Amino acid sequence: MNHRGLIQVYTGDGKGKTTAALGLALRAVGQGMKAIIIQFIKGDRTCGEHIFAAQYHPFEIVQLSTKSSFDQTLEELRSSAEQSFAFAEKIIVDGGYDMVILDEIFIAVNKGLVSTEQVLNLMNKKPETMELILTGRGAPKEITQKADLVTEMTAIKHPFTKGIAARKGIEY
Ligand code: ATP
Ligand code: MG
């Protein structure tokens, strides 16, 4: 692929940020592009997308932290965010992928583990043809101003508020 790559942001409180990014990865792979998802906040590897990726290898999903973010001290969180950021930077600069997704990067920014300036610098380093996708609640204004596409998911309704817990295949 050698078309111009842009920078996309999926943010807001509503459901659909990570799944939008996964949908883009699926579409990109279908068109012969190579995609990687780097997850900044460790989630459960029993998520449907992890099981799917392990079975069919459509794209890579990388989580550098081995411990759940709930079980980590601030120091451990900081160190895993630093490792994830360094890995993301290497992947972006190397230019071996057509699509790079930094999932929940804004959570790391909002926790003070990665700075807005670091993300802005990373956005500058993107190779011309690479599509860069950033997700997570609370995208900083400086980043949305610089991005080419910004969608804010608004939580008009979510079954969670009715007491319906996360469902397999839907939420994870
Ligand atoms: P998804 O992964 O379903 O696309 P998301 O990436 O937009 O959701 P996150 O902010 O990453 O949402 O939230 C993580 C988890 O919380 C996911 O399981 C998601 O489905 C669920 N969730 C998303 N929005 C809400 C909401 N408004 N209230 C409660 N739970 C939510
Ligand atoms: Mg998400």
Side-chain angles (χ1 to χ4, degrees), residues 51-144:
I51 300 169
F52 178 72
Q55 190 165 347
Y56 300 104
H57 311 286
F59 40 67
E60 285 163 68
I61 307 188
V62 181
Q63 279 182 356
L64 288 170
S65 159
T66 48
K67 257 188 183 176
S68 158
S69 43
F70 296 111
D71 302 330
Q72 293 183 64
T73 63
L74 188 61
E75 272 326 294
E76 286 175 317
L77 277 173
R78 199 173 294 286
S79 135
S80 40
E82 264 168 31
Q83 265 183 286
S84 305
F85 191 84
F87 179 76
E89 188 165 34
K90 186 175 175 348
I91 289 287
I92 289 168
V93 172
D94 283 355
Y97 290 85
D98 304 297
M99 180 179 281
V100 176
I101 295 168
L102 306 184
D103 190 37
E104 314 300 356
I105 177 109
F106 300 131
I107 305 298
V109 171
N110 291 324
K111 282 182 184 284
L113 306 172
V114 169
S115 73
T116 300
E117 290 65 37
Q118 279 180 295
V119 180
L120 290 168
N121 284 333
L122 197 58
M123 290 162 87
N124 285 331
K125 291 183 184 165
K126 180 189 83 60
E128 191 72 15
T129 59
M130 180 185 284
E131 193 80 11
L132 179 62
I133 323 280
L134 310 171
T135 89
R137 296 174 185 218
K141 205 162 180 200
E142 298 92 317
I143 294 175
T144 57

Side-chain angles (χ1 to χ4, degrees), residues 13-20 104 137 155 158 160 166 170-172:
D13 293 337
K15 175 176 168 70
K17 300 170 291 293
T18 298
T19 45
E104 314 300 356
R137 296 174 185 218
H158 194 290
F160 183 73
I170 310 291
E171 262 80 49
Y172 66 93

